Amino acid sequence: MTAVAVPPRVLTVAGSDSGGGAGIQADLKTMLALGVHGMSVVTAVTAQNSLGVQGAWELPVEAVRAQYRSVVDDIGVQAVKTGMLASAELVEAVAELIGGTDVPAVIDPVGVSKHGDPLLAASALDSVRTALLPVATVATPNLDEVAQLTGVRVESESGMREAAEALLSYGPAWALVKGGHLAGDAVDLLTDGSEEHWLRAPRYDNRHTHGTGCTLASAIASHLARGRSVPEAVAAAKEYVTGAIKAGFALGGGIGPVDHGWRQRS
């Protein structure tokens, strides 16, 4: 019998979203849709639905470390992606683990949920700047997160370059500043300080966008695990997430999720 080829493996280190639209659940759906094997380190459990986050319980650092070592030491990984890391202690532990794993790392510095619920303690911001961003292959903040981390408030497309420069000063190899909160087309800026890539997509009039950031970061990690360069991985991930936003659907009484399986359904 011929051996079955093992798909590239991607590890997400993030919080669980009980509503299935964001967090670990979004990450694993994205990875499956993009042909890689997704694995997870749960950092927090949330009670969450289409209306918001009703509760969050952080896991102990030793539980996070044990999950990470368990997967990496036995199964191995081709890329790592981080999401919700609620405390400074967790941020520092995860940064240390990633620093010792020689694979691309996509850091989504999650600060607040789609509903405005805080997912990162203010005291952890400094740890994100000094420990986590320096181990990032790509950091993927939205404009609120950029402002939190760098103090640069982007009001228009022209301000995105300054925000990216401020972000790069903390040490990630690449900064992807997501301009989804601006008016007009959905424009993102990817730069490593020398080359620049402006990524544009039409803006769809669909309020069901829960999980967009998690999905984009996981898609980037999936494409990096498959051997693509950072600019190629980000462009392919942007195309995937744009389709997922267009196909986002209503769930519950609030904001529904993007559709991770849009390609299979279309």
Side-chain angles (χ1 to χ4, degrees), residues 129-190:
R129 294 183 197 106
T130 59
L132 196 59
L133 289 177
V135 299
T137 307
V138 195
T140 65
N142 62 31
L143 298 185
D144 291 338
E145 290 154 357
V146 161
Q148 262 189 323
L149 289 165
T150 68
V152 177
R153 301 206 167 274
V154 179
E155 307 294 342
S156 66
E157 221 176 279
S158 58
M160 290 173 73
R161 189 175 280 124
E162 184 195 349
E165 283 168 8
L167 198 67
L168 286 171
S169 73
Y170 293 115
W174 292 83
L176 177 65
V177 176
K178 302 181 296 195
H181 293 177
L182 297 174
D185 282 353
V187 179
D188 303 329
L189 170 61
L190 174 69

Side-chain angles (χ1 to χ4, degrees), residues 15-35:
S16 164
D17 170 7
S18 54
I24 291 274
Q25 287 79 354
D27 298 338
L28 294 176
K29 290 174 189 179
T30 300
M31 292 167 190
L32 180 65
L34 296 178

